[in-house]
Amino acid sequence: MLGVIDLPTYLAGLVLIVLLPGPNSLYVLSVAARRGVRTGYTAAAGVWCGDTVLMTLSAAGVASLLQANAVLFGIVKYAGAGYLTWLALGMLRAAWAMWRARREPVVRSEETEAVAGERPFRRALVISLFNPKAILFFVAFFVQFVDPGYAYPALSFVVLGAFAQLASFLYLTALIFSGTRLAAAFRRRKRLSAGATTAAGALFLGFAVKLTLASA
């Protein structure tokens, strides 16, 4: 179909890959839990835009260049790890502030100021773009399902990318609505909110370390 080989196998592998936890999905979940459905979808849109850019670069052969050039790979890798570390430290600071204020009433003006400066779309987009392993994965995975003899390979990449984005949309939608259910519990229990934010910060540090150790 349109130059795509073995579509059922591709879809099965895609489902498994989408369900694997990563910094993108974790960030969308945390944003939805803190700020609701609309802002959750704003962060998800950043993920989808980032994935689209990565798919386009992969189809254009940029991922192969990154894989072949150790210096370029290192630059992207450490920039991504640094950004994830910065986000993790911000989450840990927020968790500490929640813990210290667990017996104090919520100050709405301070919350509004913090929310206004977060920019979920931009953060999610940057997290997606600074992920060299995702670029390499797209090139290694997509190419296996493109018929080399098909006259319009770009169309094959579009078909595969559309299925990938659909799977991502369904998965992130489930996370967003799960996150809003957690929001009420977080608002009632500041200790729970602080603990969840600490866990998210620790996971982001883990992603940064994993990215630092990644190899082309």
Side-chain angles (χ1 to χ4, degrees), residues 29 32-33 171-183:
L29 176 62
Y171 178 58
L172 292 182
T173 294
L175 290 182
I176 287 169
F177 283 96
S178 297
T180 54
R181 291 183 130 195
L182 295 173

Side-chain angles (χ1 to χ4, degrees), residues 127-158:
I127 291 172
S128 296
L129 293 178
F130 281 97
N131 191 348
K133 296 300 289 185
I135 300 175
L136 301 179
F137 161 77
F138 278 129
V139 110
F141 190 65
F142 277 22
V143 169
Q144 298 179 40
F145 299 93
V146 175
D147 184 357
Y150 187 63
Y152 306 101
L155 183 57
S156 304
F157 277 100
V158 170

